Amino acid sequence: MKVIDTHCHFLTGEYVEALKRYDRINDDGFPCPDWNMDMQMEYMEKAQIRHAVLSVSSPHPHFGDDGVSAELCRMINESAEAIVRKYPDQFSYAAVLPLPNVNMALEEAKHALEQGGACAVKLASQANGLYPGDERMEPLLEYLNERRTVMILHPTRPSAVPEGCFTSGPLPLLEFINDTTRAVVD
């Protein structure tokens, strides 16, 4: 049996450093996991996973500066592309886009899909309050639709969460589900 993991998160050292620099390393109420290729390959062997689609997890790489976000997304996508080039039978990747800047996201989508070999794009349930159903997203969604691009919708922490609204565990336990529902309903 060939198992394909379509929800395989990876982290680059540069992205972890950016999360630390912008004090976002524990955004979801728990620390980012360790990740490296040796750990990934060992896990895939144990779980009998023959192919994995790499994507970056929450938090979405936008910390208030569109230019920094675009640089981070390009760096993450190029890192994923290098892994795919080295291990084409084991990996594909879903490009991360520098939303909420739709123009920059469209540019990165074109680059990743047309030149970088991405097999999909990964969108957060929202990016700094911009949900996929927002009319400002239309140029990007039209492009992705024209290309018949697979889009992975990944939950993230909502941009506005009242303090103490959920105290029974890490915020994602409730809010990831809620924010994904908001995105789909929207």
Side-chain angles (χ1 to χ4, degrees), residues 92 101 103 106 110 133:
S92 303
N101 187 309
N103 291 332
L106 180 57
K110 287 179 179 180

Side-chain angles (χ1 to χ4, degrees), residues 61-119:
H62 193 288
F63 313 127
D65 183 306
D66 289 347
V68 169
S69 178
E71 289 174 16
L72 282 171
C73 289
R74 179 63 58 95
M75 180 271 308
I76 291 166
N77 292 336
E78 287 178 348
S79 294
E81 181 184 350
I83 292 169
V84 170
R85 271 197 315 271
K86 188 170 182 178
Y87 305 100
D89 293 335
Q90 288 90 359
F91 296 101
S92 303
Y93 81 99
V96 63
L97 307 178
L99 289 166
N101 187 309
V102 176
N103 291 332
M104 287 180 162
L106 180 57
E107 183 179 318
E108 185 61 23
K110 287 179 179 180
H111 175 79
L113 293 165
E114 295 173 14
Q115 298 169 36
C119 72

Side-chain angles (χ1 to χ4, degrees), residues 4 11 31 38 41 49 53 55 74 80 85 129 138 155:
I4 299 174
L11 291 167
D38 289 339
M41 295 298 245
I49 296 169
V53 180
S55 66
R74 179 63 58 95
R85 271 197 315 271
E138 285 183 20

Side-chain angles (χ1 to χ4, degrees), residues 125-180:
S125 52
Q126 55 82 29
N128 292 11
L130 180 70
Y131 284 85
D134 190 298
E135 66 184 18
R136 294 173 287 175
M137 290 284 288
E138 285 183 20
L140 175 61
L141 296 178
E142 285 175 7
Y143 169 76
L144 297 175
N145 188 51
E146 286 171 9
R147 287 189 53 85
R148 302 175 66 91
T149 303
V150 171
M151 183 176 73
I152 298 169
L153 183 65
H154 193 280
T156 195
R157 178 187 178 125
S159 57
V161 179
E163 190 66 35
C165 74
F166 181 71
T167 58
S168 297
L171 193 65
L173 189 61
L174 176 68
E175 283 301 326
F176 273 22
I177 297 163
N178 289 345
D179 207 57
T180 303

Side-chain angles (χ1 to χ4, degrees), residues 50-66:
R50 301 294 174 243
H51 192 88
V53 180
L54 300 170
S55 66
V56 71
S57 184
S58 176
H60 188 72
H62 193 288
F63 313 127
D65 183 306
D66 289 347

